Amino acid sequence: MARGTSLGQLLEDLRSEVGHSLQPSLGKSTRDVLINTLQRTQRRLWDDYSWPFLRVRRDISINIGQRYYSLPSDMVFERIEEVEYKNGHIWDKLAYGVGRTQYNQHDSDRGIQSHPIERYAAYEGNMIEFWPIPNRNTNASDGDGEVRLHGIKNLSPFVAENDLADLDDQLVVLYAAGEILSRQKQADAQNKLAQAQAHYSRLKARLSKTDSFVIGGGQPSDSYRSKGSAPIILSRV
């Protein structure tokens, strides 16, 4: 169970899980199918969950009069979780959505500029729009006027056999094996999928770094059950 396992190793593990020969020379006809299944499985799992170890922040320098900006090469708009703007020495959260209400106030179509940036929206070609159009540049010395994106980064290349998987190797292999065995109507297909789902649940539980606290102080306790009332317990990340 590890991240950073090579595609070549995952291919060998998948062959073993589905009962194929481990000798590459005897499995060339199915090699491309197995690799494609591994690639697709990792992409689906990446899209399915906000993996904390893939969470990044990327900064965009703002230019006077520029309305649209290209996103960093390792991010897509759909996986952006939060956008902030540094106004002086304070980071302010930007609201999502730019439409009629905003353009009636500061019409970006007419090039109207203002400060500070307050909102953002998706734009074609994996770009992002900021509103209002900024009337000042980012200050390179202290970062004033900079935009910061928080989100999940794209998967690393996973094509050559020495390319490394970003997600857990066992998770990817088990789900891929379950898909292949189901397609082949093998009896152990459901068992493999059950193993994959159980492993997925364990991983997500381990990655949820939460504890609890009681309003007013102290530690959560089971003793309240004998007293007829329960303390208020909140989850804290």
Side-chain angles (χ1 to χ4, degrees):
M1 182 179 70
R3 303 193 301 273
T5 302
S6 70
L7 176 57
Q9 181 62 56
L10 263 65
L11 179 59
E12 184 174 330
D13 292 346
L14 181 57
R15 283 193 177 109
S16 178
E17 289 288 347
V18 298
H20 290 187
S21 171
L22 297 182
Q23 298 182 33
S25 61
L26 300 179
K28 288 183 178 179
S29 61
T30 59
R31 180 180 181 278
D32 288 346
V33 173
L34 296 179
I35 288 178
N36 180 267
T37 304
L38 288 168
Q39 293 167 333
R40 249 188 318 103
T41 299
Q42 182 174 236
R43 286 198 303 270
R44 179 182 65 79
L45 291 166
W46 169 84
D47 194 51
D48 185 66
Y49 183 65
S50 293
W51 301 96
F53 50 81
L54 294 179
R55 188 167 282 115
V56 296
R57 67 184 190 190
R58 299 288 184 258
D59 295 336
I60 297 177
S61 293
I62 297 302
N63 301 313
I64 291 176
Q66 184 175 342
R67 178 178 180 181
Y68 305 111
Y69 295 79
S70 296
L71 289 176
S73 59
D74 61 350
M75 295 187 77
V76 291
F77 192 86
E78 293 83 354
R79 299 313 302 269
I80 293 175
E81 298 177 334
E82 187 174 67
V83 181
E84 299 173 319
Y85 177 73
K86 192 173 185 182
N87 187 9
H89 299 290
I90 303 298
W91 286 101
D92 293 324
K93 181 178 178 180
L94 298 186
Y96 174 74
V98 181
R100 179 178 64 249
T101 301
Q102 288 72 46
Y103 294 143
N104 284 341
Q105 183 178 356
H106 298 296
D107 191 349
S108 297
D109 293 333
R110 294 175 52 225
I112 303 301
Q113 302 175 17
S114 188
H115 174 82
I117 291 175
E118 297 179 25
R119 303 180 74 89
Y120 73 100
Y123 188 67
E124 60 189 55
N126 204 38
M127 299 185 75
I128 189 169
E129 174 184 2
F130 295 123
W131 177 92
I133 297 174
N135 64 5
R136 61 185 69 181
N137 296 323
T138 294
N139 186 323
S141 63
D142 61 9
D144 179 26
E146 192 166 59
V147 169
R148 175 162 291 172
L149 311 178
H150 299 263
I152 304 300
K153 78 179 186 70
N154 299 339
L155 292 171
S156 304
F158 198 52
V159 179
E161 287 205 12
N162 60 350
D163 287 343
L164 305 180
D166 285 310
L167 301 186
D168 181 85
D169 51 6
Q170 187 176 347
L171 182 68
V172 174
V173 168
L174 286 172
Y175 268 116
E179 177 183 331
I180 291 170
L181 292 171
S182 295
R183 193 184 307 154
Q184 297 174 349
K185 303 187 185 304
Q186 297 296 314
D188 58 344
Q190 290 305 312
N191 181 48
K192 282 287 186 284
L193 288 173
Q195 290 178 38
Q197 290 161 1
H199 188 52
Y200 196 10
S201 296
R202 283 194 300 270
L203 286 176
K204 290 194 287 187
R206 291 169 183 169
L207 290 169
S208 297
K209 303 297 186 183
T210 62
D211 55 7
S212 300
F213 65 95
V214 180
I215 291 179
Q219 296 295 321
S221 171
D222 290 337
S223 61
Y224 68 84
R225 292 190 176 94
S226 62
K227 299 178 181 179
S229 62
I232 300 174
I233 301 177
L234 302 179
S235 176
R236 178 174 59 201
V237 178

